[in-house]
Amino acid sequence: HLQMFIVQNICSHHSLDNALKINPKTFEWLGNEVSCGVGMQRIDIMFSQKNDDIDREIVPIELKATSANIDNVRQLSRYIDWIEQYYISNRPSTIRPVLICKASRLRKVTKQAFHNFNAQANGRYLPLEYIEYTDNGRDLIFTKTQY
């Protein structure tokens, strides 16, 4: 349901678009269940937008209906490897990984996994953006969260 909500509401939902830094004027394409790798893993959601005439941004998004955990960064690492091998070589872009999870208190070990993930970037990708969502009974509210 979370994936469907995001795909249907991207570029038209205030808190989602703010959290994801969406610019509808430069938004290029959106994919869900994007197949990648030999094992045919699937990136939950991925989109591309132009920052200017030259610079593009590719955003792989991992979704979790639960709290964030250390396995989430392993998954994103595999997606980034695939994007670098098969996407970036054909369409140069900056990779901006995003994890969206149900709002909860982040465990210390999970925060450390996020920091380790960022430390391994070596300029290959931007730091992980962590977004939490809450359900207020009428709508989902998305908030970019510092870790």
Side-chain angles (χ1 to χ4, degrees):
H1 291 96
L2 177 61
Q3 183 176 6
M4 182 178 63
F5 180 90
I6 292 172
V7 169
Q8 288 178 341
N9 291 287
I10 204 162
C11 291
S12 65
H13 188 277
H14 182 72
S15 72
L16 175 63
D17 293 348
N18 281 344
L20 287 174
K21 298 188 272 190
I22 298 288
N23 181 346
K25 293 179 182 177
T26 62
F27 195 83
E28 292 186 304
W29 63 264
L30 170 69
N32 67 312
E33 294 295 325
V34 178
S35 296
C36 65
V38 176
M40 293 311 281
Q41 289 185 315
R42 292 190 172 117
I43 300 171
D44 291 330
I45 296 173
M46 192 161 78
F47 69 85
S48 173
Q49 63 185 359
K50 294 189 298 186
N51 291 333
D52 55 42
D53 288 339
I54 299 170
D55 186 38
R56 284 186 165 71
E57 189 173 67
I58 186 75
V59 182
I61 302 172
E62 179 60 23
L63 303 174
K64 296 297 174 190
T66 59
S67 304
N69 66 57
I70 59 174
D71 291 330
N72 304 146
V73 292
R74 288 187 197 120
Q75 210 167 0
L76 279 164
S77 291
R78 289 192 301 270
Y79 298 160
I80 289 169
D81 290 343
W82 178 83
I83 290 167
E84 288 176 325
Q85 290 177 14
Y86 299 101
Y87 185 91
I88 300 297
S89 60
N90 296 309
R91 189 169 183 104
S93 305
T94 301
I95 303 171
R96 182 168 55 96
V98 174
L99 175 62
I100 299 178
C101 296
K102 186 175 184 179
S104 66
R105 187 168 176 260
L106 275 178
R107 296 177 43 209
K108 189 179 247 183
V109 67
T110 304
K111 288 181 187 180
Q112 187 58 52
F114 289 179
H115 290 292
N116 292 346
F117 174 83
N118 293 337
Q120 294 169 4
N122 292 326
R124 294 174 38 219
Y125 52 88
L126 297 174
L128 174 67
E129 293 183 10
Y130 177 59
I131 297 171
E132 293 182 327
Y133 71 91
T134 54
D135 183 348
N136 69 7
R138 296 179 322 244
D139 197 8
L140 295 181
I141 308 300
F142 297 85
T143 309
K144 185 173 177 188
T145 304
Q146 298 301 316
Y147 52 87

